[in-house]
Structures are given as C-alpha cells and as structure tokens.
Amino acid sequence: MSGKYHIKNATVLSIDPSLGTIQNCDVLIDDHIITDVGPNLTPTASEQYTVIDATNAIVSPGFVDTHRHTWQTQLRTICSDHVLGEYFLHIRSIYGSCYSDRDAYLGNYCGALESIDNGITFLIDHSHIMNSPDHANAAVQGLRDAKIRAVFCYGLYANPAWPGSCMDPDRETKTPEWRFEDAKRVRETLFKLNQPTDLVRFGFAPAEIERVGIDDAVKEVEYGRSLGSAIITGHVSMGKYDRGLHLVRHFEERSLLAPDLLFSHCASLHDDELEAVCKRGVSLSSTPDTELQMGMGHPVAFKAKGKGCTASIGVDVVSNNPADMFQQMRLLLQAQRHLEHYAQAGPPWSISRGCAEVLEMATMGGAKAVGLKDVIGSITPGKRADLIITRCDSTRMTPVHDPVAALVLYANASDIDTVFIDGEMVKHKGQLVGVDWPTVRSELRESAANIIQRSKKAPFEQIKEAVIATMKAFAGNA
C-alpha cells in the first residue's frame, strides 16, 4: 500500500529542467504522488510520515524500459551467443511453443521482479506468448502481481504448433486469427478503463509488422487502435534484416503515423522517415545489447534525438542479457562515443556525448515515448512517485563527485536501496518487499526445466528450414 514518506538529505537528480540536481534535498511522497522537492522540508503532521535517511544516496526517477519481451525469463542466457536467426529458431519457434499458461505467468511475474530489483519501474511488455487465452490472462496477472507499472501489449504472433508443444493445433489451423478476438476480450474484461494513471494498461503488438505486407500491417495497426490501445508497438527497420519495406514511409503516405506508435530498433530508418517520426509524434526504442550483438544495426537513439525524435531505451530479451538499464545506458553511450570519435579526422579533444543525455533517455525519454510525460519520468511535484534511491556506499560508489556519471557508469542493482512505484515501496534495504524469493525461485527453476524438456520433442530440422526461409525474406534475399 502507498503511504506518506519523507526522504531526507539526498542528492536528487530530478531530470526536471526547472529543478535540476539538488544536493541535501528532501522528497515528500503522499499516497501515490510526489508532493514536494527541496532542502529541509518540514511536512505538516510530520509524525504521519515514514522517514528515509538518504544521506550519501541518489534519488532519481525509476527507469522506463520501452521494449521488452518479459515472458522469456526462464530462457536466461540461452541467446547470449546468438544472432537474430538463431533467436528466431530457438526462442520464437521452439521454446515459445513450450510455455504453459503458468509458465507465462512466472515469466512475466519474475521478469517484472527482476526489473524492479534493477530500478526499472515501468516496462512495455511486447507480449508474443499468446499460446491461448489463458496465456494472455496469466501474463497480465504476472505484471499486476509484481506491482510494476506497465503497458501489456497483446501480441498477435503465433508460436508454431507441433506435437508435444503447448499449442492447440486445431485452434491454430481452424481459427488462425483467433488472437484478434481474444485481444478484444482482454481489453474489455481486464482493462475496462485503461487510463494513463492505471498501473497496468492495455496495448497492442502486430504479429511482425514488417514481415507481412503493408496492407496487413495497416489492418493490424488499425485494429489495435479500434481497441483503444494505449501503445501500439512493433519491430521496424532492423539493420541487416531490413528488407526495404519502408513501413514508416508508407504509413506517412497513408496518414497513419501518430503518437500511439512506438517502434523498436529502427537502425536503418532513412532521414525522411525520421523526419516523419518527429513530425507525427511517433517514438523510438533502442535496445543496445541485442542490436549490437545480433546485427540489427547501430542503435538509433542519438541519431533520432538529433532529428528531434523522442528516443528511449529498452532491454528487449533476458534470454540475451539481464533486465539492467545501467548496462543498456553504458553500452549505448560508449558505442555512440566510439562511433563519433572515429568519424573525426584526427584524435578527439573532447567527449562527444555526456552521461546526462543517456540518463534522460532512460527516464524522461521513456516517459515521453509511452505517453506518460506528465505522470512519470522525473522527480517533479504532482507526478506519480516512481523513483529509486541508490546508495553511494559500495566500493565502486565511494566517493561520488558526479552523481549523473555515478548512475550511468558505476552503479548496479546491488546499490539500489529502495524503489517506489506509484508511491508504494516495492524494494527496501536492498530486498524486494513482500516477495518470498526462495520459493518463487524454486518454481521458476522447475518451470524452466519443464520448458526445456518439452522442447526436446520439437521437429528441429523442419523448424530450422522454415526459419531460414523466413530470415532470408527478412533480409530481402528470398
């Protein structure tokens, strides 16, 4: 439950231009709301406030993860040496088909807990684990039980059905578009209001928006809009896998670009497409780990920002890397510094990009990208209390001369003392609140073992041939 909290003596990185960075600063939280920010605050009825001493600590907005397939928690480390084709083969064509609805619940629940532990207070769940209506219900419940702020984007992608999988082959064969109607059911029964301040909201994710033709892509986006989706998200212009569809250009020509669209990856967008994205209020999500590893191009975030676009950061898949925004900020920043330094004729004499730029993308940039710039993303009075307290006591965080650099280049999850989401304390003194992690961990391990066991029944060579054909089509070589 949310309550009244008085955070005292912190270094506050507000990410609010009107407030800036404030030393020896207090933050007041009343119910769900940040009510005041400033030095030496004295609340009325002070005895009602729980005091948190944040001396030698940094208070900052919670991180906003704008692209995540949260269900993949049980598949951690499997893709760490994979490119995109191998990911499609193993994760999207075999393991995904092996998930029961309970597995989908645990993937989302534990994936959200991992996020909270790492200071991520909001995520876009691009959820393509809709193996049945029960999977949809379970995935939503996993997010809600973890108490994370999120948009659950109902994914139309159909994991393949094969003997021994968790798929219903009759449903997939006889009613291949059943997910359209089920998405409507989920929206109407589980997300009746879908307001910006709701903790978990409904969104939509087309099957693979660039793998289908333009007409099918339009159909799926328009259907998502007909449901009143908070966000519609899809993978676009993925570097080496870009088949020259120019979806953004076609959408602009058809007047379909709008602020409810959040495109992921986007490394090969052309200048005219980036200009259209900026003009129409579309947002972009960069996922540095997967993009650099899997051949999806150099992360577009800084280029997009230079064109006036809203740039944000996502984790993507924990089958490849942890749900750690610190890691993504560092990789994005240093990759961009390298790119720009080596584009110069001689040696660089000053840094090309600052830590503050990437911290803004991970917080306020993300809030703008998901349409919540007035709700979260900064330590601003009147906004929802989604914030983290990072201690500066560890060997790597002592001393701190530049708190922004400390967060971007030094901190990790073990330094995060406290996390608030919507004014509720969900991590405190370094521990998740109200979570019996040893018991949950045991069930997660059992779930993972069951998924791996089912996967052994997959007709591997047959699936591999289909994936190779698909990836050639993605690359325009079919």
Side-chain angles (χ1 to χ4, degrees):
M1 296 292 290
S2 56
K4 296 177 181 290
Y5 296 92
H6 184 182
I7 303 169
K8 300 184 71 172
N9 303 321
T11 296
V12 173
L13 303 183
S14 71
I15 320 296
D16 180 333
S18 68
L19 295 175
T21 296
I22 312 171
Q23 302 288 342
N24 301 315
C25 184
D26 296 1
V27 178
L28 294 183
I29 299 171
D30 191 341
D31 198 10
H32 308 285
I33 308 298
I34 298 168
T35 56
D36 204 354
V37 178
N40 303 314
L41 297 179
T42 305
T44 56
S46 59
E47 71 280 358
Q48 298 178 13
Y49 283 76
T50 298
V51 175
I52 299 174
D53 183 2
T55 303
N56 294 319
I58 299 167
V59 173
S60 60
F63 297 124
V64 178
D65 177 354
T66 55
H67 183 63
R68 182 79 160 282
H69 306 298
T70 318
W71 61 271
Q72 293 181 22
T73 307
Q74 290 94 324
L75 307 178
R76 189 182 309 282
T77 74
I78 283 177
C79 290
S80 296
D81 291 326
H82 285 181
V83 293
L84 191 61
E86 294 168 302
Y87 166 81
F88 264 96
L89 171 60
H90 294 281
I91 306 299
R92 299 283 292 275
S93 302
I94 295 177
Y95 293 123
S97 300
C98 300
Y99 267 60
S100 69
D101 58 310
R102 182 62 181 176
D103 296 327
Y105 170 85
L106 285 169
N108 264 28
Y109 175 62
C110 295
L113 292 182
E114 178 188 2
S115 300
I116 292 168
D117 193 38
N118 282 278
I120 295 169
T121 55
F122 175 100
L123 59 82
I124 288 285
D125 182 23
H126 182 146
S127 189
H128 44 32
I129 193 61
M130 303 301 103
N131 294 349
S132 75
D134 287 340
H135 283 70
N137 296 346
V140 172
Q141 195 61 47
L143 297 176
R144 286 180 167 158
D145 286 353
K147 300 182 179 180
I148 198 164
R149 191 183 299 278
V151 176
F152 167 79
C153 293
Y154 189 108
L156 294 182
Y157 178 82
N159 293 304
W162 37 264
S165 72
C166 290
M167 308 298 295
D168 182 339
D170 285 342
R171 178 167 53 219
E172 298 301 323
T173 302
K174 296 176 181 178
T175 56
E177 294 195 338
W178 66 266
R179 290 174 182 82
F180 284 89
E181 192 61 33
D182 192 55
K184 182 179 180 182
R185 173 194 66 83
V186 169
R187 168 67 171 95
E188 292 178 348
T189 60
L190 302 183
F191 298 92
K192 294 180 179 179
L193 297 177
N194 220 34
Q195 296 299 305
T197 53
D198 291 348
L199 206 57
V200 183
R201 304 172 72 198
F202 178 84
F204 195 70
E208 273 302 340
I209 197 168
E210 287 196 331
R211 193 170 72 179
V212 299
I214 290 294
D215 289 341
D216 284 337
V218 169
K219 169 190 169 184
E220 293 181 3
V221 168
E222 288 185 332
Y223 186 76
R225 283 183 173 149
S226 77
L227 300 180
S229 302
I231 293 291
I232 300 170
T233 193
H235 307 116
V236 171
S237 299
M238 297 190 294
K240 287 286 187 180
Y241 308 94
D242 186 351
R243 53 189 287 210
L245 187 63
H246 294 298
L247 180 136
V248 170
R249 189 176 295 163
H250 283 288
F251 271 32
E252 170 67 357
E253 291 169 354
R254 299 187 187 202
S255 300
L256 289 169
L257 296 179
D260 60 352
L261 292 176
L262 172 60
F263 292 140
S264 303
H265 309 312
C266 308
S268 48
L269 286 178
H270 288 219
D271 285 349
D272 67 298
E273 293 175 303
L274 287 170
E275 289 163 6
V277 162
C278 175
K279 182 178 180 181
R280 304 303 178 190
V282 176
S283 297
L284 305 181
S285 177
S286 291
T287 64
D289 252 307
T290 54
E291 288 157 9
L292 291 170
Q293 175 181 319
M294 294 188 174
M296 291 190 281
H298 186 88
V300 76
F302 282 98
K303 180 180 179 181
K305 185 180 177 184
K307 292 286 186 180
C309 304
T310 296
S312 64
I313 306 174
V315 165
D316 205 351
V317 290
V318 301
S319 55
N320 186 86
N321 48 261
D324 185 342
M325 192 62 74
F326 298 117
Q327 178 170 315
Q328 300 308 318
M329 287 192 294
R330 289 166 195 157
L331 191 57
L332 176 61
L333 179 63
Q334 304 295 34
Q336 189 69 22
R337 285 171 167 177
H338 169 81
L339 185 75
E340 296 183 7
H341 290 163
Y342 272 79
Q344 298 178 25
W349 294 105
S350 61
I351 201 72
S352 66
R353 297 288 178 169
C355 292
E357 291 183 77
V358 76
L359 181 59
E360 190 277 339
M361 291 179 191
T363 53
M364 197 62 206
K368 292 175 182 175
V370 300
L372 296 179
K373 66 181 180 65
D374 296 324
V375 180
I376 59 172
S378 65
I379 309 295
T380 303
K383 286 193 174 185
R384 296 281 165 151
D386 289 14
L387 56 85
I388 63 178
I389 303 175
T390 304
R391 293 287 175 188
C392 302
D393 296 327
S394 65
T395 53
R396 79 191 142 269
M397 292 286 284
T398 306
V400 166
H401 301 288
D402 181 341
V404 175
L407 278 190
V408 173
L409 295 177
Y410 292 80
N412 66 27
S414 69
D415 298 305
I416 298 176
D417 178 89
T418 301
V419 178
F420 284 93
I421 298 178
D422 208 39
E424 180 171 356
M425 189 185 288
V426 290
K427 180 179 181 180
H428 188 50
K429 296 183 178 179
Q431 301 295 318
L432 295 169
V433 176
V435 177
D436 181 359
W437 176 239
T439 299
V440 173
R441 179 177 61 205
S442 179
E443 187 174 2
L444 183 66
R445 284 173 171 158
E446 182 180 358
S447 168
N450 290 338
I451 291 165
I452 298 300
Q453 188 62 37
R454 293 185 200 110
S455 74
K456 295 177 181 178
K457 300 176 183 179
F460 184 81
E461 292 302 325
Q462 179 183 339
I463 293 171
K464 183 177 179 180
E465 289 180 8
V467 170
I468 289 172
T470 297
M471 297 310 297
K472 284 183 177 180
F474 254 131
N477 297 324

